[in-house]
Amino acid sequence: MDKKFYITTPIYYVNDKPHAGHAYTTLVADVLARYHRQNGEDTFFLTGTDEHGSKIAEAAAKHNQTPQEFCDQVSGVFKTAWDKDHLGIAYDYFIRTTDPNHEQAVRDIFQKLLEAKTPANNPVLYEGEYAGLYCTGCEKFLTEKELVNGLCPDHKRAPEVLKEKNYFFRLADYLPAIEQKIVSGELQILPEHKKNEALGFIKQNVPDFSVSRSSVKWGVDLPFAPGQVAYVWIDALSNYITALGYPKNLELMAKYWPADVQLMAQDISKFHTIYWPALLMALNLPLPKTMFIHGFFTIDGQKMSKSIGNVIDPNDLVAQFGQDGTRYLLLSQFPLGQEADLQASLFKERYNNDLANGLGNLVARTANMIETYLAGKNPITKKNSLNLNNDLPDLNKFFIYEYLVAIRSLIDQANRLIDEKKPWQLVKTDLASTQEVLGQVGELIILVAEKLAPIMPAISAKITKQFTSDIIKKEEALFPRLN
Ligand code: MSP
C-alpha cells in the first residue's frame, strides 16, 4: 500500500454524554475512512475524548465522582455509542487525554516549546500576567465585546475574573506564515467561506494566548512551572500527534503525519485554523492538508439544548432505526458544510420512504421473484448489461449527501425496471427474458450495495452476500416499516 490517509474528529468533552452533533462528525469521518480503506489506502482514523479542564472537574463534582472516575465512565459511554452494536464507527484509535502516554507527551511538547524560537528568533513561550474574563463552559477567555448582558452568549453564565501568571505563546510571530499557507492552499480550509473566515481572524490580529493555567487543577501538570497545568486546548490539540506516538516514538508519525483531513464544526474552527498551525510550526512539523469545517445544525429549527429538551441521543436513534438506518438518516439530510437543520420530525417518514419502501422493498421483491420464478438460481451475469455509469459524486470531495442522492436514483431506476418489465407477467411466457430482467435488477442491487459500503456497512455486506450466492433466497426485511 503506498497511499495513506489520516483522518481525525475533534476529541469530545466528557462533561456530558454524546449527542447527535458528536455522532454526525464522527460518522462523516467514519464514512471517509471506510471509503479510503475500500480503495486500498493505508488508513488511520482517530477519535477520542477531551477530559481535562474545569468544565469536566465541575461535572464530576456534580456527580460526586472523582474527575478520573467520571472521565472513565463518560469516555466509556462515548465508546459504546460508537461500537459495532450501535453506530458502527470503525476508528483505528480512540485517544483519551488522561492516557498517561498522552499526558507525558504533552509535557514533552511543552518542554520543546520552551526551548523553541519563533521565525523572528524570539522565544516561543514567555511568562506574563493575564487578567481576563474566563468562561468555564467555553474553557476560554472572553472579551467584553463578546458578552451579552454580562453573560457568555453560549453558556448564559457570567464569566469569572481571572488574574494569574501564565506562560504565553508568541502567536504574533506566526500569523503571517499561517496566512500565507492558508492563502496558498498549502493548508486547505473547506468550505471556501470558512477559509475566508479564518483569514478574517488573522486580519483581526489574534493576540498571543496563554498556554498554562494556575487556577485549574484538573490538567496535565507542567514540571517547569510548578502549580500550573497545560491549558486544556493545547492539551487537546496535541492529541492529533500524540496519538501517533509523538514525540517519543516517531514511527507512526512518519507514516501518517500530516493529517489528510481534520473534521470539525465551526464552533472550534479558530482553535484549529490559528492556534493549531502555530503550535505545529513551533514544533517544526508540517501542517494538516485539509480542514473541513461543517456547520452547526439545529434540530427542527431550534438550537439543540438541554433546556429546550431536544438533545438527540444517538443510541435512541439506533434503537429505533437500526445502525445503518441511523447512519443514513443523519448523513442524508443536508450537504456537508451547509448551515443546516436536522429534521428529526421527518426521520420516520424518510426511513419508511427511502429505506423500507425504497432499498428494502427493492431487495425483498427481487429476492422473492428470483426465488419464486427462477427457483432461486442467481441470474446475475455481471455483464454490465445496463451499461451502468458508475460515476457517483466524489466522496473525496466531501459529497456524501450528493452521493446518497445518486444512490437513491439507482434504487429508483431498479424499481422502475421491475415495474416496466413486469416479471410476474413475463414469466408466464418468456423465462429467458424474466431471467435477464432479474439479472439486470440484481446487478443494480449489487452496485448499490457496493457503493453503500462506507455509509451503511452492515446492510451493504448483507445484500452483497445474498446477491452473490448461487442461490438467492428471500430474507427478513432489511428495514421493517415503522408505524
Ligand atoms: N473538546 C473540544 C474539541 C477539542 S479538539 C482538539 C470540543 N468538544 S465538544 O464535545 O464540544 O465537541 C464539539 C464538536 O462536536 C463540534 O466541533 C462538532 O464536531 C460536534 N458538534 C457538536 N454539536 C454539533 C451540532 N449541533 N452540529 C454539528 N456538529 C456538532 O469542542
Side-chain angles (χ1 to χ4, degrees):
M1 280 197 267
D2 42 358
K3 254 186 111 182
K4 65 91 184 174
F5 183 71
Y6 179 30
I7 183 164
T8 68
T9 71
I11 49 172
Y12 305 111
Y13 287 130
V14 291
N15 60 313
D16 214 336
K17 60 183 187 174
H19 59 57
H22 308 120
Y24 181 74
T25 313
T26 312
L27 257 179
V28 170
D30 186 55
V31 168
L32 298 178
R34 285 175 187 270
Y35 176 71
H36 283 267
R37 274 188 217 114
Q38 198 180 13
N39 292 342
E41 290 167 42
D42 183 352
T43 300
F44 196 91
F45 165 19
L46 176 71
T47 191
T49 42
D50 189 355
E51 308 186 3
H52 288 129
S54 329
K55 189 207 307 249
I56 313 288
E58 273 181 18
K62 248 191 227 152
H63 287 82
N64 290 318
Q65 281 178 307
T66 65
Q68 189 63 56
E69 278 167 357
F70 181 70
C71 291
D72 290 349
Q73 187 215 316
V74 183
S75 185
V77 175
F78 272 85
K79 275 193 175 163
T80 303
W82 303 160
D83 76 14
K84 63 176 180 18
D85 298 322
H86 296 85
L87 267 184
I89 305 295
Y91 53 77
D92 293 288
Y93 191 62
F94 188 103
I95 190 166
R96 299 181 53 190
T97 54
T98 55
D99 291 339
N101 286 343
H102 169 81
E103 291 185 348
Q104 186 51 46
V106 169
R107 283 182 207 109
D108 295 343
I109 286 172
F110 267 87
Q111 193 57 44
K112 279 182 181 286
L113 293 177
L114 206 60
E115 291 159 16
K117 291 277 172 60
T118 70
N121 211 26
N122 292 313
V124 171
L125 299 187
Y126 62 93
E127 279 187 280
E129 177 141 297
Y130 195 90
L133 298 166
Y134 194 79
C135 172
T136 307
C138 301
E139 293 288 11
K140 68 177 183 192
F141 286 101
L142 301 177
T143 60
E144 294 276 2
K145 263 206 311 225
E146 287 171 302
L147 304 184
V148 177
N149 299 327
L151 303 180
C152 163
D154 287 339
H155 297 93
K156 309 275 183 279
R157 60 196 252 182
E160 294 163 62
V161 181
L162 271 192
K163 190 170 176 193
E164 54 178 56
K165 237 178 144 184
N166 291 152
Y167 278 88
F168 280 74
F169 186 102
R170 202 176 296 275
L171 184 63
D173 284 5
Y174 291 96
L175 290 176
I178 298 173
E179 181 175 27
Q180 183 269 325
K181 284 174 198 281
I182 294 176
V183 169
S184 72
E186 193 181 326
L187 167 57
Q188 184 183 39
I189 298 177
L190 293 172
E192 189 72 14
H193 64 277
K194 292 292 195 290
K195 165 178 159 179
N196 296 333
E197 199 178 273
L199 291 171
F201 295 145
I202 296 175
K203 289 249 156 19
Q204 292 162 20
N205 266 327
V206 200
D208 290 355
F209 59 103
S210 63
V211 293
S212 62
R213 291 282 179 279
S214 51
S215 52
V216 177
K217 295 286 159 272
W218 179 238
V220 179
D221 57 293
L222 299 172
F224 65 88
Q228 296 197 53
V229 301
Y231 174 38
V232 63
W233 266 102
I234 303 298
D235 172 2
L237 288 164
S238 306
N239 95 87
Y240 301 129
I241 49 178
T242 66
L244 298 179
Y246 185 87
K248 284 266 157 66
N249 187 340
L250 299 178
E251 203 183 311
L252 289 179
M253 272 303 275
K255 197 161 164 195
Y256 293 114
W257 190 259
D260 294 271
V261 174
Q262 300 211 272
L263 283 173
M264 75 214 71
Q266 61 209 21
D267 53 336
I268 53 176
S269 64
K270 193 170 172 180
F271 292 103
H272 283 81
T273 58
I274 312 288
Y275 296 170
W276 178 223
L279 186 61
L280 287 167
M281 282 188 226
L283 295 170
N284 255 320
L285 290 171
L287 303 192
K289 292 184 197 155
T290 299
M291 288 186 191
F292 193 99
I293 302 170
H294 63 74
F296 229 58
F297 55 70
T298 49
I299 308 279
D300 295 315
Q302 284 183 300
K303 192 181 162 177
M304 181 163 42
S305 92
K306 273 195 171 165
S307 48
I308 300 175
N310 62 351
V311 178
I312 297 180
D313 181 335
N315 294 336
D316 293 343
L317 294 180
V318 173
Q320 192 178 5
F321 303 110
Q323 177 181 109
D324 284 342
T326 302
R327 293 172 65 104
Y328 175 84
L329 289 172
L330 287 175
L331 295 168
S332 62
Q333 296 257 327
F334 43 77
L336 182 65
Q338 236 171 51
E339 311 305 308
D341 187 44
L342 198 68
Q343 295 181 295
S345 56
L346 298 182
F347 275 175
K348 199 154 82 185
E349 197 181 318
R350 295 239 166 96
Y351 169 94
N352 280 335
N353 191 47
D354 298 355
L355 300 179
N357 297 348
L359 179 59
N361 187 41
L362 171 67
V363 168
R365 75 202 285 220
T366 307
N368 190 27
M369 287 188 284
I370 292 173
E371 192 174 291
T372 325
Y373 306 149
L374 310 176
K377 195 169 164 287
N378 192 331
I380 302 171
T381 55
K382 300 198 189 96
K383 278 198 308 231
N384 194 5
S385 46
L386 290 171
N387 280 322
L388 297 171
N389 172 8
N390 283 351
D391 285 345
L392 297 188
D394 193 351
L395 288 183
N396 240 335
K397 299 202 170 109
F398 304 94
F399 291 143
I400 298 179
Y401 167 88
E402 295 78 356
Y403 185 87
L404 283 172
V405 171
I407 288 181
R408 279 203 299 277
S409 100
L410 282 175
I411 294 169
D412 290 347
Q413 190 186 335
N415 269 323
R416 265 201 315 274
L417 192 65
I418 298 175
D419 296 341
E420 278 162 21
K421 301 276 164 120
K422 303 188 175 49
W424 51 92
Q425 288 183 3
L426 205 55
V427 70
K428 293 181 190 154
T429 54
D430 186 349
L431 190 61
S433 303
T434 309
Q435 198 167 332
E436 192 188 326
V437 172
L438 291 175
Q440 287 175 335
V441 174
E443 205 178 318
L444 271 169
I445 289 177
I446 286 186
L447 175 68
V448 164
E450 181 199 319
K451 297 291 180 190
L452 276 178
I455 315 241
M456 303 166 88
I459 294 282
S460 159
K462 246 184 171 168
I463 299 175
T464 306
K465 185 157 179 262
Q466 185 182 15
F467 281 80
T468 52
S469 323
D470 294 340
I471 296 293
I472 293 177
K473 291 202 201 85
K474 199 179 167 188
E475 284 170 23
E476 62 184 54
L478 293 174
F479 304 101
R481 259 194 84 83
L482 295 173
N483 296 312

